[in-house]
Amino acid sequence: MRRLVGLEREYRCSAGHEHRSWDRLRSCPDCGESLAVAVIRRAALA
């Protein structure tokens, strides 16, 4: 049986920077702005 081990998220801040991360982000690493959009792109299964 497969199990979910992580979710890849795509983030976009109000300044337009985009980031993908396996960790949950609360602010943009580039400018520190709060994130406006967070989309779960895919899941890692094991």
Side-chain angles (χ1 to χ4, degrees), residues 7-26:
L7 299 173
E8 185 182 41
R9 297 167 177 91
E10 182 177 322
Y11 294 100
R12 192 171 313 132
C13 73
S14 57
H17 300 119
E18 294 185 8
H19 299 281
R20 284 191 177 170
S21 176
W22 290 97
D23 299 321
R24 186 176 296 189
L25 299 176
R26 297 196 183 269

